[in-house]
């Protein structure tokens, strides 16, 4: 071998650590991981208690994912701290594609500003996979409370400042913030009662021990239809097709009280991109299934609408999450909301 040949080989070897394209093993491992995934059950963390909208949406999605991908997606409810506990579990999990999170507007956007330095994870610790649904929040009361409209509730609250209690599924949730916005816009005082999930909160309101509630429409709609809760308004710009007779907050005289909940899948930040893309494509396909969407629409869900065809993708959901973090930081600062 000539000196010139030896120098050429040494130069090529020196370039290898800096040229990923020259290392096919990593690319093959990435594509192989996506091709084989999932080869075992995928842990699906729900950061709220059973029976709430987050749990309902996750179970609908998990059923279809199992049917389409051939592996179970067992639900693990890890409620507490407004969704922070379950979200932190996923943020710190192995990024191998076998732990995913049903994220919400609360723990995925609002809590970063609300909890500040106390929140144990950051936006960059999680990666967006796909948005499943958007939902209205609904403001309701226990049927024993003598009010039938939002204006009547505000009038009663002004007569009894601080005496009425309003429940939510936890401090920092969009339900908590919707209640805070109502108090801010209406100039009233009510006492916030946070619960560890929608299920316990709904039970207390139906029992009459808490007077006012705010919930995502999917988990409350059955009780509303049964007459165990009295709806006063939905918090979206237009009425919900699921409750066409219930006015919007704007129609009820409080246009500043507008909030849309959302539910989507995130994964640990370093999850292999091919797996993220594969799961994101599955979620997009599931959202577009007529039978599955009929179930979500009946609960009051609205389509993701992040892509031109009304669906979702990892990149589009990531951009959406970033915009929500910015939006809700401003709402938290303006309302002066605090963690109870």
């Amino acid at each position: 071998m000539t000196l010139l040949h030896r120098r050429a080989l040494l130069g090529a070897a020196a370039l290898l650590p800096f040229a990923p394209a020259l290392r096919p093993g990593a690319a093959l491992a990435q594509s192989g991981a996506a091709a084989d995934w999932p080869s075992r059950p995928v842990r699906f963390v729900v950061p709220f208690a059973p029976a709430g909208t987050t749990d309902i949406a996750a179970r609908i999605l998990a059923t279809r994912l199992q049917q389409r991908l051939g592996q179970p997606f067992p639900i693990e409810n890890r409620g507490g701290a407004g969704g922070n506990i379950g979200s932190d579990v996923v943020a710190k999990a192995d990024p191998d594609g076998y732990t995913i999170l049903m994220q919400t507007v609360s723990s995925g956007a609002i809590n970063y500003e609300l909890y500040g330095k106390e929140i144990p994870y950051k936006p960059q610790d999680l990666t967006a996979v796909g948005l499943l649904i958007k939902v209205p929040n609904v403001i309701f009361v226990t049927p024993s409370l003598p009010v039938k409209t939002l204006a009547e509730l505000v009038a009663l609250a002004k007569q009894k400042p601080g005496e009425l209690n309003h429940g939510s599924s936890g401090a920092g949730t969009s339900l908590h913030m919707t209640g805070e916005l109502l108090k801010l816009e209406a100039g009233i005082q009510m006492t916030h009662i946070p619960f560890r999930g929608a299920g316990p909160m709904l039970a207390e309101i139906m029992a009459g021990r808490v007077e006012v509630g705010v919930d995502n429409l999917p988990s409350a709609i059955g009780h509303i239809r049964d007459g165990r809760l009295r709806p006063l308004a939905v918090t979206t710009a237009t009425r919900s097709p699921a409750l066409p007779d219930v006015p919007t907050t704007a129609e009820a005289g409080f246009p500043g009280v507008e909030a849309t909940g959302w539910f989507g899948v995130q994964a640990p930040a370093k999850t292999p991109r091919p797996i993220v893309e594969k799961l994101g494509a599955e979620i997009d396909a599931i959202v577009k299934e007529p039978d599955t969407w009929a179930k979500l629409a009946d609960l009051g869900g609205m389509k993701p609408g992040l892509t031109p065809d009304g669906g979702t993708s990892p990149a589009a959901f990531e951009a959406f999450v970033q915009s929500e973090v910015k939006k809700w930081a401003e709402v938290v600062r303006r309302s002066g909301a605090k963690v109870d």
Side-chain angles (χ1 to χ4, degrees):
M1 180 181 292
T2 67
L3 179 61
L4 182 60
H5 287 155
R6 284 198 298 271
R7 286 177 176 174
L9 289 172
L10 288 172
L15 289 173
L16 284 175
F18 304 98
L22 298 177
R23 295 188 300 166
L28 287 173
Q30 288 270 309
S31 61
D36 295 339
W37 181 92
S39 59
R40 55 186 169 87
V42 179
R43 178 190 188 196
F44 199 171
V45 176
V46 172
F48 293 95
T53 302
T54 318
D55 184 70
I56 294 170
R59 291 179 189 277
I60 291 173
L61 178 59
T63 297
R64 290 299 296 128
L65 286 172
Q66 177 173 342
Q67 292 167 346
R68 291 175 64 94
L69 294 172
Q71 290 290 343
F73 282 71
I75 300 295
E76 180 180 324
N77 294 95
R78 296 291 295 270
N84 290 352
I85 292 176
S87 297
D88 189 48
V89 166
V90 177
K92 292 179 170 59
D94 290 338
D96 56 5
Y98 289 93
T99 301
I100 61 174
L101 172 70
M102 179 54 86
Q103 187 59 284
T104 74
V105 61
S106 305
S107 45
I110 295 171
N111 287 3
Y112 294 118
E113 178 70 23
L114 188 69
Y115 283 81
K117 295 180 180 179
E118 295 181 11
I119 195 167
Y121 58 96
K122 303 299 179 187
Q124 58 267 30
D125 295 332
L126 295 162
T127 189
V129 180
L131 179 62
L132 183 64
I133 55 170
K134 299 175 183 177
V135 297
N137 293 334
V138 57
I139 302 169
F140 49 82
V141 295
T142 184
S144 61
L145 198 69
V147 301
K148 294 185 178 180
T149 67
L150 191 56
E152 289 178 358
L153 173 63
V154 168
L156 182 62
K158 287 183 176 179
Q159 293 173 13
K160 300 179 177 182
E163 294 184 29
L164 297 181
N165 298 314
H166 72 101
S168 78
S169 60
T173 62
S174 67
L175 314 177
H176 171 201
M177 294 307 302
T178 300
E180 294 298 327
L181 279 176
L182 175 61
K183 291 190 287 186
L184 182 69
E185 295 293 322
I188 58 176
Q189 298 177 33
M190 293 191 294
T191 301
H192 176 229
I193 308 294
F195 290 87
R196 293 191 66 176
M201 180 263 291
L202 292 171
E204 290 298 292
I205 294 176
M206 288 186 288
R209 290 186 285 269
V210 175
E211 296 87 359
V212 185
V214 182
D215 196 10
N216 302 126
L217 187 53
S219 54
I221 194 167
H223 303 305
I224 290 172
R225 287 171 174 168
D226 290 344
R228 289 181 286 179
L229 298 171
R230 180 181 297 145
L232 303 182
V234 293
T235 63
T236 40
T238 59
R239 293 193 183 200
S240 168
L243 290 177
D245 295 330
V246 178
T248 66
T249 45
E251 291 172 329
F254 302 94
V257 186
E258 184 175 332
T260 301
W262 51 262
F263 303 86
V265 174
Q266 290 185 321
K270 294 182 181 180
T271 301
R273 194 65 193 178
I275 292 178
V276 171
E277 294 292 341
K278 182 176 181 178
L279 180 56
E282 289 293 329
I283 295 171
D284 182 56
I286 289 169
V287 166
K288 293 170 182 173
E289 293 174 341
D291 290 346
T292 302
W293 185 251
K295 295 176 183 177
L296 295 170
D298 188 57
L299 293 171
M302 299 180 292
K303 291 187 177 181
L306 299 185
T307 56
D309 61 356
T312 183
S313 72
F317 187 32
E318 183 65 47
F320 175 78
V321 170
Q322 291 178 9
S323 69
E324 286 287 283
V325 170
K326 182 178 179 180
K327 166 190 169 181
W328 284 103
E330 178 61 27
V331 172
V332 170
R333 288 192 289 267
R334 189 167 73 90
S335 68
K338 304 292 182 182
V339 179
D340 294 336

